[in-house]
Amino acid sequence: MLAMFLYGIGIIYTPGTINLMSMNLGLNKKFKSSIGFFLGASLAMFILFSVYGYTSEKFVKKEYLIYLSAVGSVYIAYLAYKIFRSKVDVESSSQHKMLGFKDGFFIQLFNPKATLTALPIATINFEACNIVGAKILLMSLILTILVFGAPVSYCLLGQFFSSFIKNNKTLKILNTIMALLLLFVAFSIFKEHVYDVLIGVRDF
């Protein structure tokens, strides 16, 4: 369960399309008028978590979990590397038009990062933590609240710390922290759901 939330935080709170757009909304002092944008993006993630969660529950068997976990841990480690190496530029994502609920919903729904966030959680962590049935909706809602906090945080950062943020060094430090966090998650998933399972089989 801890690995699931750490992975979610590591991915959701790194700079991406929605987060950088939200930061620019903050830089332009549009926090209050952008609540709909944040809600739309969050609803899209709730749908992705729920759909992938129920699809996984129906089609992914428990014996497949070790293979999904192996692939997932390697994939998360790769994401950590990409995040660490990525360059962030707030100015290049600058926009000044008003963004509403519909904008947030469709941008997030078709955002590759959203799928990369929801899919590993729904196919690996939900199954591993025995999150099934109605629990999928509940956990999707909890994760969606976490998602909502990301663009809100970036927008507030943009609004109140604009001079500090515009040099991009802050985002680079954040990227490094999140990359290390994701590496820890990748190691935890591999150890718990692959290595320990294989050792247990051998011991048996």
Side-chain angles (χ1 to χ4, degrees), residues 18-98:
I18 293 292
N19 288 341
L20 289 180
M21 292 177 76
S22 298
M23 181 170 287
N24 275 289
L25 289 169
L27 291 172
N28 290 287
K29 312 297 182 185
K30 294 182 179 179
F31 176 78
K32 288 184 179 180
S33 59
S34 302
I35 298 296
F37 177 73
F38 308 147
L39 289 173
S42 301
L43 177 61
M45 285 303 300
F46 176 77
I47 291 172
L48 290 175
F49 281 128
S50 301
V51 169
Y52 290 140
Y54 283 110
T55 302
S56 173
E57 181 186 24
K58 186 173 182 180
F59 296 107
V60 178
K61 298 180 180 179
K62 284 190 179 292
E63 52 265 33
Y64 298 158
L65 184 59
I66 187 172
Y67 303 109
L68 286 173
S69 298
V71 173
S73 60
V74 172
Y75 169 70
I76 293 170
Y78 171 73
L79 280 181
Y81 170 76
K82 293 291 286 184
I83 287 172
F84 178 76
R85 295 280 296 175
S86 66
K87 295 180 180 178
V88 291
D89 187 355
V90 177
E91 296 302 325
S92 67
S93 301
S94 182
Q95 45 71 39
H96 303 286
K97 67 183 287 282
M98 184 65 65

Side-chain angles (χ1 to χ4, degrees), residues 58-150:
K58 186 173 182 180
F59 296 107
V60 178
K61 298 180 180 179
K62 284 190 179 292
E63 52 265 33
Y64 298 158
L65 184 59
I66 187 172
Y67 303 109
L68 286 173
S69 298
V71 173
S73 60
V74 172
Y75 169 70
I76 293 170
Y78 171 73
L79 280 181
Y81 170 76
K82 293 291 286 184
I83 287 172
F84 178 76
R85 295 280 296 175
S86 66
K87 295 180 180 178
V88 291
D89 187 355
V90 177
E91 296 302 325
S92 67
S93 301
S94 182
Q95 45 71 39
H96 303 286
K97 67 183 287 282
M98 184 65 65
L99 295 172
F101 179 89
K102 222 189 304 188
D103 298 300
F105 179 80
F106 285 110
I107 291 172
Q108 187 77 296
L109 192 64
F110 297 107
N111 180 9
K113 183 184 175 184
T115 296
L116 299 181
T117 301
L119 192 57
I121 290 177
T123 56
I124 298 174
N125 297 106
F126 279 11
E127 183 73 19
C129 298
N130 197 32
I131 298 172
V132 296
K135 291 181 181 178
I136 292 176
L137 281 179
L138 177 60
M139 186 55 66
S140 296
L141 180 59
I142 292 172
L143 290 167
T144 299
I145 294 172
L146 190 67
V147 168
F148 179 76

